[in-house]
Every structure is written in C-alpha cells, then in structure tokens.
C-alpha cells in the first residue's frame, strides 16, 4: 500500500470524494487496529478535502471523548445532550449545520469554525463514535458531503 494520497485540488467536490474514498479503503484494508485506521481516515479527509477540522469523538465513559483528529486543538469531552455532536449521538443521524451560530447549543471549539457536518457510526443500535467535520466557511457542506461521508461511515462501522 502506498502511504500517500492523490487528490487533484482542481476537481469538483464530488470528484474529490470519488477519488478519495477508494484510497481510504485501500489505506485501511488489512489493518485491524481501530485507532490506526481512524487516524488515517481523518488525515486523508482533511488532506483530500481541505476542510478546517476533521476528527472523531468516541462514545465512552458515558460521554463523547475526543479521538484522532487533524486541525486546531479541540474540546476533549462532550456530554450526550450538548452541541452538534451530542445531537448526532442522541438522534443517531447525520447533522448538517450550514451556520453554527444558528444551531442552539453549538459548542465553539474554535471561533473560525463556521459550518459543520457530524455523522454517527452505529453498531448494534449503539453509536460507537461520531465523525465531526468543520469548515471555516459558512454553508460549506451539502448533500454531496452527506452522501459520501455516510458511505465512509459504513466503512467505519465495518471495523467494529
Ligand atoms: N462543534 C462541535 C464540537 C466539536 S468541535 O467543533 C471540534 C459541537 O457543537 O458538538
């Protein structure tokens, strides 16, 4: 496996995801360590898509706890009922937030974060982790992100 990533910056968002997803699959195939795979997944997403912050929060110790991420330092623990991540956890569905200021209870880890998408990885009815992707631009996420990131979460779910 080549430990490098090829995603042309001039491609459309959809083309970038189409180039990126098979590479993430190749990068993680044959590796059984969850943290190693998630680390490469978030690094590949940040590098390939150029978003401001990409990381996961694990469901552990009765709350959401920061895991591998790429980007500025972030809050480490999020109660189940707080923020966009908490809403994703409790509703067990993708949260697409075009303007974080307009989301009641949004947790601002960085004032540079303007829009956000959070997706759950669910196994046996339980949210194992949430993937949080932040942008420093307003309204930067759409159904293209949702479609491809949900595909990526199926891969994450297969690791459990
Ligand atoms: N904004 C998130 C918190 C995590 S940081 O953005 C990295 C939330 O409201 O849950």
């Amino acid at each position: 496996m080549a430990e490098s990533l090829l995603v042309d910056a001039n491609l459309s968002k959809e083309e970038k995801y189409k180039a990126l997803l098979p590479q993430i699959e190749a990068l993680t195939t044959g590796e059984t360590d969850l943290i190693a795979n998630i680390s490469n997944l978030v690094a590949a997403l940040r590098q390939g898509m150029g978003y401001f912050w990409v990381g996961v929060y694990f469901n552990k110790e009765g709350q959401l706890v920061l895991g591998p991420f790429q980007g500025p330092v972030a809050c480490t623990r999020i109660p189940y009922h707080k923020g966009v991540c908490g809403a994703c956890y409790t509703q067990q569905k993708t949260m697409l937030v075009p303007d974080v200021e307009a989301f009641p209870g949004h947790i601002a880890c960085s004032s540079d974060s303007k829009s956000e998408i959070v997706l759950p990885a669910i196994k046996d009815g339980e949210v194992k982790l949430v993937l949080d992707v932040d942008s420093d631009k307003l309204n930067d996420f759409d159904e293209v992100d949702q479609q491809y990131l949900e595909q990526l979460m199926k891969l994450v779910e297969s690791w459990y």
Side-chain angles (χ1 to χ4, degrees):
M1 176 207 73
E3 278 98 0
S4 62
L5 209 63
L6 281 173
V7 180
D8 186 339
N10 297 313
L11 293 176
S12 71
K13 180 191 275 189
E14 179 152 30
E15 288 167 337
K16 281 184 190 165
Y17 277 117
K18 279 189 173 156
L20 193 58
L21 260 57
Q23 294 184 68
I24 293 178
E25 220 168 319
L27 205 55
T28 53
T29 296
E31 175 52 66
T32 55
D33 190 89
L34 181 69
I35 299 293
N37 282 338
I38 289 173
S39 300
N40 264 339
L41 181 146
V42 300
L45 256 185
R46 174 122 193 274
Q47 194 187 326
M49 302 306 297
Y51 288 129
F52 171 70
W53 194 94
V54 182
V56 301
Y57 284 87
F58 290 107
N59 173 15
K60 64 194 263 192
E61 298 162 8
Q63 53 197 323
L64 300 171
V65 182
L66 184 65
F69 70 96
Q70 295 270 317
V73 293
C75 34
T76 53
R77 288 170 188 267
I78 300 176
Y80 289 147
H81 59 281
K82 286 248 169 89
V84 185
C85 291
C88 173
Y89 171 83
T90 49
Q91 295 175 39
Q92 300 207 348
K93 65 171 185 132
T94 300
M95 306 300 298
L96 212 159
V97 181
D99 176 1
V100 295
E101 299 285 329
F103 188 95
H106 166 257
I107 301 164
C109 289
S110 162
S111 57
D112 289 333
S113 174
K114 303 281 189 254
S115 57
E116 175 164 11
I117 186 168
V118 185
L119 307 98
I122 302 170
K123 186 76 178 197
D124 300 328
E126 188 188 35
V127 175
K128 296 294 191 184
L129 62 80
V130 300
L131 173 71
D132 184 4
V133 185
D134 289 24
S135 172
D136 55 6
K137 297 180 195 73
L138 271 175
N139 206 8
D140 212 11
F141 300 102
D142 56 25
E143 56 293 338
V144 173
D145 296 280
Q146 180 163 358
Q147 182 193 332
Y148 287 96
L149 292 175
E150 283 180 356
Q151 229 170 283
L152 207 51
M153 297 316 279
K154 299 272 171 248
L155 178 68
V156 174
E157 287 164 357
S158 76
W159 297 338
Y160 280 91

